[in-house]
Amino acid sequence: TLRMRGPALLILLICFRGRAGPSPHFLQQPEDLVVLLGEEARLPCALGAYRGLVQWTKSGLALGGQRDLPGWSRYWISGNAAKGQHDLHIRPVELEDEASYECQATQAGLRSRPAQLHVLVPPEAPQVLGGPSVSLVAGIPANLTCRSRGDARPTPELLWFRDGVRLDGITFHQTLLKEGTPESVESTLTLTPSSHDDGATLVCRAWSQALPAGRDTAITLSLQYPPEVTLSAEPHTVQEGEKVTFLCHATAQPPVTGYRWAKGGSPVLGARGPRLEVVADASFLTEPVSCEVSNAVGSANRTTALDVLFGPILQAKPEPVSVDAGEDASFICAWRGNPLPRVIWTRRGGAQVLGSGPTLRLRSVGPEDAGDYVCRAEPGLSGLGGGAAEARLTVNAPPVVTALHSSPAFLRGPARLQCLVFASPAPDAVVWSWDEGFLEAGSRGRFLVETFPAPEGHEGQGPGLISVLHISGTQESDFSRSFNCSARNRLGEGGARASLGRRASASFPEQKNLMRIPGSSDGSSSRGPEEEEMGSGEDRGPIVHTDHSDLVLEEEGALQTKDPTNGYYKVRGVSVSLSLGEAPGGGLFLPPTSPLGPPETPTFYDFNPHLGIVPPCRLYRARAGYLTTPHPRAFTSYIKPTSFGPPDLAPGTPHLPYAAFPTPSHPRLQTHV
């Protein structure tokens, strides 16, 4: 029974003692440690309330319980054991010491947390292949290789520096042994050297955590490079005919072996060495001089152009421009010269400067802007060169119609009304209309319409037309009604109102038979006068009318003209002579022969074969030709022409008095580039 009570008493004693004081515990445990190869490592361990055996283990292997750790010459335990201090020391640290360590209180059954010891190995000085002096060729990409060997831990990083500044463009790689440990590491620097790199010093540095300062290896660059050339001219600015000297200076490694001169890409025969003398002309401004220098590595070329002074020369004439009203118009005129000529723009016949420079831009043009524009270059410093070039601006706009009032007519006699049309583009149609109808061309009843080219209009405003409405056997209603002359093109319509004046001194008896020329568009002659004067066309819509009563065709035939458009057009009148016969009776008033008809076409038409009556009047002669057809077909239709030219005139035809309207004097603000 005593033997059975002994263990129980021991247990009670231990429990009693546990209640009497604290249990054993760690005051300090070891932590992971990094140490350099050859240095001392210290792993701390402190226990409280423990007086028993303390030992260290290395990767699970017990090192022993004595303080000097027999069998481990570089290991020992330090500290005051009575105070629970049991620190493990290792000196010097070797690679084999890299392991996991624990501090254990054996009798208390306590074990510290594992502490990992890491051993760092500093890298050796790197090696640069080809060093310490590396020969390179300027301009050719090259690779510099830096290599580090050994058992450095961790693997070092190889960096490149120049003048203390880290360089970019580095490629890094490493080579491993079969066991998986690095045998060597390499770093490659890619660069394209220049001649300025000759003699430069580059540093390859092996850096790791084991050696924060790193280890450096320096190399020197030795550069070979082709010639570096500078080309100068003395003097650089010259007048034509002056002498110029070119100097070609070069530095090279290895030395220069030859010079080659060229002008405009063509070799200068007989030129040798670094000096060239020439006599300057204008070609040197566009054909520069070049000097090419060579050595064993390569060659280099430099080019320079002389500043040769000469007067303005026209390179590109301005082109005619045609735009719609409201659009912008631009002209371009190029002059060449040195110094660059000053180019100004004016309107022909005017002195106002509209702009300067090679481009003239007119914003939102109107018909009043049509005309010829001149670009003028002033002579150079030598007084030579210069000149002018011009181009026409055509402004497309709706037609402008002006009524030309003819001489008064007798009742039941022939009469004529005229209107003048200017339009660009040319009108699609010119139409006469009155109360009962309208007529565009040809004849209908008592009415005949003819359209023919008019004298040239204002510059840039396109061709002009004259439309004539002939009336055979006037009636009372003809003198009280208004006749409208209208024209249209793709941009709109324009019109004018004309009225027929009456002569009270004589009258013609009423005709029972209407006069008709064979070939007329209306073959019927059985209708009465009232039926004949009525048109059957459909309504053409509203027409804008203008009453230009300031254009009067006097009895003598001289067209007295004012300016109905305030400078819109230059209008030349048409001189027409008309002499009425004394014999009473009606008659058809016919135009002269067409200038487009065959030669020897009669000027007058004979009514007797067709009408059986004596013509009541002498037919007129016109300065400008009418587009009429020769007998027997006297009526023609107007066809929109592609262009108009001046009419052909018979010899001896008297010249007409033309009146030119002045150009508007109000200024236009122009925009130029």
Side-chain angles (χ1 to χ4, degrees), residues 303-623:
T303 301
T304 186
L306 287 180
D307 187 15
V308 182
L309 304 179
F310 61 94
I313 300 174
L314 180 63
Q315 284 188 306
K317 297 178 60 177
E319 298 293 335
V321 175
S322 176
V323 298
D324 292 348
E327 296 181 347
D328 295 346
S330 296
F331 294 97
I332 298 178
C333 181
W335 292 83
R336 174 174 173 262
N338 190 32
L340 189 65
R342 180 176 181 267
V343 179
I344 60 174
W345 290 86
T346 60
R347 195 166 178 174
R348 188 173 69 174
Q352 180 184 4
V353 177
L354 304 177
S356 61
T359 302
L360 174 67
R361 179 169 293 126
L362 306 176
R363 303 280 188 184
S364 187
V365 298
E368 69 277 3
D369 298 312
D372 294 323
Y373 289 82
V374 181
C375 70
R376 189 181 311 276
E378 300 177 351
L381 298 178
S382 62
L384 301 177
E390 65 181 45
R392 172 162 294 186
L393 171 63
T394 300
V395 180
N396 302 320
V400 173
V401 182
T402 303
L404 305 178
H405 290 211
S406 301
S407 299
F410 292 107
L411 180 64
R412 301 186 186 89
R416 179 179 71 251
L417 296 175
Q418 303 176 94
C419 68
L420 179 64
V421 179
F422 284 116
S424 177
D428 300 316
V430 180
V431 179
W432 284 91
S433 61
W434 54 93
D435 296 340
E436 295 85 0
F438 63 89
L439 185 59
E440 179 177 346
S443 65
R444 175 172 291 152
R446 298 181 297 112
F447 300 95
L448 165 69
V449 170
E450 293 181 310
T451 305
F452 54 92
E456 182 180 357
H458 188 273
E459 300 170 347
Q461 290 298 333
L465 299 173
I466 290 181
S467 183
V468 181
L469 174 65
H470 299 280
I471 305 175
S472 173
T474 58
Q475 299 179 358
E476 288 289 348
S477 60
D478 296 334
F479 298 100
S480 59
R481 66 170 48 130
S482 293
F483 295 87
N484 297 319
C485 177
S486 61
R488 64 177 180 272
N489 61 12
R490 65 177 177 81
L491 297 176
E493 295 189 2
R497 181 178 292 107
S499 59
L500 183 63
R502 179 172 181 174
R503 287 195 178 191
S505 60
S507 65
F508 291 91
E510 182 177 358
Q511 294 176 306
K512 296 182 179 180
N513 295 320
L514 292 176
M515 294 173 291
R516 178 118 12 229
I517 292 180
S520 169
S521 61
D522 190 345
S524 173
S525 61
S526 62
R527 292 183 295 174
E530 295 300 324
E531 296 178 12
E532 291 289 338
E533 70 178 6
M534 295 186 62
S536 60
E538 59 183 346
D539 188 7
R540 297 293 182 91
I543 300 177
V544 179
H545 296 281
T546 59
D547 186 6
H548 300 297
S549 59
D550 48 0
L551 296 180
V552 180
L553 185 64
E554 295 183 347
E555 180 177 348
E556 294 77 12
L559 181 63
Q560 303 296 329
T561 58
K562 299 179 182 179
D563 186 356
T565 60
N566 291 325
Y568 195 135
Y569 293 107
K570 290 182 179 178
V571 179
R572 294 190 296 179
V574 178
S575 177
V576 178
S577 298
L578 172 64
S579 177
L580 298 175
E582 298 177 358
L588 178 63
F589 185 69
L590 296 179
T593 60
S594 169
L596 304 180
E600 307 301 331
T601 301
T603 302
F604 301 92
Y605 289 101
D606 186 1
F607 290 96
N608 290 328
H610 308 289
L611 305 177
I613 63 175
V614 177
C617 63
R618 296 196 305 272
L619 300 182
Y620 71 95
R621 295 177 61 86
R623 171 67 174 87

Side-chain angles (χ1 to χ4, degrees), residues 186-427:
E186 291 183 353
S187 175
T188 301
L189 173 66
T190 300
L191 74 163
T192 302
S194 68
S195 59
H196 302 290
D197 296 324
D198 189 29
T201 299
L202 301 183
V203 173
C204 178
R205 176 175 299 169
W207 179 91
S208 75
Q209 184 181 359
L211 189 62
R215 286 194 172 137
D216 297 345
T217 297
I219 61 169
T220 302
L221 300 182
S222 177
L223 268 295
Q224 291 186 345
Y225 51 93
E228 293 185 348
V229 182
T230 57
L231 179 60
S232 62
E234 184 61 35
H236 184 265
T237 301
V238 294
Q239 294 280 353
E240 288 184 288
E242 293 184 354
K243 181 182 292 187
V244 179
T245 300
F246 292 91
L247 295 176
C248 187
H249 177 72
T251 57
Q253 181 64 34
V256 172
T257 57
Y259 294 84
R260 180 179 179 271
W261 291 90
K263 174 178 176 287
S266 300
V268 179
L269 300 179
R272 298 289 186 272
R275 183 185 181 93
L276 176 66
E277 291 186 356
V278 298
V279 176
D281 56 37
S283 66
F284 281 87
L285 189 65
T286 56
E287 299 178 5
V289 173
S290 62
C291 174
E292 184 180 63
V293 185
S294 304
N295 71 350
V297 176
S299 62
N301 187 298
R302 288 295 179 270
T303 301
T304 186
L306 287 180
D307 187 15
V308 182
L309 304 179
F310 61 94
I313 300 174
L314 180 63
Q315 284 188 306
K317 297 178 60 177
E319 298 293 335
V321 175
S322 176
V323 298
D324 292 348
E327 296 181 347
D328 295 346
S330 296
F331 294 97
I332 298 178
C333 181
W335 292 83
R336 174 174 173 262
N338 190 32
L340 189 65
R342 180 176 181 267
V343 179
I344 60 174
W345 290 86
T346 60
R347 195 166 178 174
R348 188 173 69 174
Q352 180 184 4
V353 177
L354 304 177
S356 61
T359 302
L360 174 67
R361 179 169 293 126
L362 306 176
R363 303 280 188 184
S364 187
V365 298
E368 69 277 3
D369 298 312
D372 294 323
Y373 289 82
V374 181
C375 70
R376 189 181 311 276
E378 300 177 351
L381 298 178
S382 62
L384 301 177
E390 65 181 45
R392 172 162 294 186
L393 171 63
T394 300
V395 180
N396 302 320
V400 173
V401 182
T402 303
L404 305 178
H405 290 211
S406 301
S407 299
F410 292 107
L411 180 64
R412 301 186 186 89
R416 179 179 71 251
L417 296 175
Q418 303 176 94
C419 68
L420 179 64
V421 179
F422 284 116
S424 177

